[in-house]
Amino acid sequence: MTNHLLALSDFSKQQLQSLIVRAIMLKNESLEGVRHQQLAGRSVCLLFEKPSTRTRVSFESAMYRLGGQVIFMSAKESQLGRGEPLKDTARVLSRYVDGIVVRTFGQEVVEELSKYATVPVINALTDLYHPCQVLSDIMTVIEKKGAPENLKIVWIGDGNNMANSWIEAASVFGFSLTLSCPEGYEPNAAVLEAARKTGVGDIRLVSDPAEAMEDADVVNVDVWASMGQESEQEKRVKLFQPYQLNAALMGKAKDDAIVLHCLPAHRGEEITEDILEGTQSVVFDQAENKMHIHKAILELFIGGSTEVTNQ
């Protein structure tokens, strides 16, 4: 198994399933009062070029709850903002910490860091992928609905990094994924082609969101303009309006369908208040699960846990 977590397609179904099973176990043990100390004496550097609330706090809390220590560095506080070569940053940090969690813009940043680092590099978000988030989302799906292979999962809205990681997940786990995005805002074509070439999972693009929502078990939405796209906000609000998750659109899904949103949510844009706060919404359970999946990820990659099957 690779020593880094850069994209979901780098792993087998068994490896990812095992990671989620471990996260659920750690969650349940925490609820029972078990104090985890597997990473006592270990440290991780959170190297964030993009701001964050949930990703930062969930990774920090996960590391602390495993007994480890966290060093947080923004671009302003690191040499990344001053032009130091990534290969130098990777080699120096590898001598100080036991792992590097990176939240940045280009996927090439985490790839180069992983090439030169001698400690695990974990992708906490790039413009191309958001693998840790989608793992926590699938964990939530399993808790609420069972095995994803038996479900119809739908993505509505921008074909962004989340959509790309959902596509990779479908090609690994083998579930049905239907995406509905405005023309010109589809997921990355290379990611989609690579996923379809595996022959695993039923991955479809449907232009009409109402058609995509038919008989959906899981409905996933995200903001219409991500970080770095603020200048497109007004244009996107107009273009994406038919893709708003509201009562009419939810009426196309199954009565027991669940709603996912990785947050932060722009209420009244990609999702209405009544849907976000409704009985089908599991977004806050989903947000909590980020911490638990991060515990499992840190335990495996930094602690070399034998609790997770490396197949």
Side-chain angles (χ1 to χ4, degrees), residues 147-220:
E149 296 90 329
N150 303 321
L151 305 171
K152 178 183 179 181
I153 298 176
V154 174
W155 176 271
I156 301 291
D158 190 23
N160 58 15
N161 51 3
M162 284 286 295
N164 293 334
S165 283
W166 269 107
I167 288 169
E168 287 207 325
S171 72
V172 175
F173 283 90
F175 56 76
S176 169
L177 177 66
T178 301
L179 304 103
S180 185
C181 312
E183 184 178 356
Y185 295 87
E186 296 88 355
N188 182 280
V191 171
L192 184 59
E193 181 182 5
R196 284 176 167 168
K197 279 184 177 179
T198 66
V200 178
D202 177 20
I203 306 169
R204 295 185 294 156
L205 292 182
V206 177
S207 58
D208 181 4
E211 179 185 347
M213 288 285 290
E214 290 287 348
D215 296 323
D217 295 290
V218 179
V219 184
N220 208 329

Side-chain angles (χ1 to χ4, degrees), residues 20-30 36 307:
I20 292 171
V21 167
R22 181 59 179 160
I24 293 172
M25 184 182 300
L26 289 168
K27 178 180 180 178
N28 291 336
E29 288 177 352
S30 293
H36 297 118
E307 297 290 340

Side-chain angles (χ1 to χ4, degrees), residues 134-283:
V134 170
L135 282 175
S136 67
D137 295 351
I138 294 173
M139 173 182 171
T140 307
V141 170
I142 291 171
E143 287 183 330
K144 304 295 183 181
K145 301 292 292 181
E149 296 90 329
N150 303 321
L151 305 171
K152 178 183 179 181
I153 298 176
V154 174
W155 176 271
I156 301 291
D158 190 23
N160 58 15
N161 51 3
M162 284 286 295
N164 293 334
S165 283
W166 269 107
I167 288 169
E168 287 207 325
S171 72
V172 175
F173 283 90
F175 56 76
S176 169
L177 177 66
T178 301
L179 304 103
S180 185
C181 312
E183 184 178 356
Y185 295 87
E186 296 88 355
N188 182 280
V191 171
L192 184 59
E193 181 182 5
R196 284 176 167 168
K197 279 184 177 179
T198 66
V200 178
D202 177 20
I203 306 169
R204 295 185 294 156
L205 292 182
V206 177
S207 58
D208 181 4
E211 179 185 347
M213 288 285 290
E214 290 287 348
D215 296 323
D217 295 290
V218 179
V219 184
N220 208 329
V221 295
D222 195 3
V223 295
W224 290 340
S226 300
M227 281 177 285
Q229 299 171 336
E230 290 81 4
S231 62
E232 303 177 26
Q233 178 71 21
E234 185 175 346
K235 174 186 176 182
R236 285 174 175 250
V237 166
K238 294 178 181 178
L239 186 63
F240 281 70
Q241 197 59 46
Y243 297 82
Q244 181 188 74
L245 188 60
N246 50 36
L249 206 53
M250 273 303 297
K252 303 290 184 180
K254 290 181 180 177
D255 291 341
D256 62 348
I258 60 171
V259 173
L260 300 177
H261 192 310
C262 64
L263 301 177
H266 294 171
R267 299 163 191 245
E269 288 186 13
E270 74 275 0
I271 189 168
T272 56
E273 176 83 9
D274 60 315
I275 298 301
L276 186 66
E277 297 288 354
T279 58
Q280 291 172 275
S281 172
V282 296
V283 299

Side-chain angles (χ1 to χ4, degrees), residues 94-105:
S94 294
R95 299 186 180 218
Y96 296 155
V97 297
D98 299 291
I100 307 170
V101 178
V102 187
R103 184 177 173 93
T104 186
F105 293 90

Side-chain angles (χ1 to χ4, degrees), residues 101-113:
V101 178
V102 187
R103 184 177 173 93
T104 186
F105 293 90
Q107 182 71 13
E108 68 276 3
V109 173
V110 293
E111 290 176 354
E112 185 165 359
L113 286 170

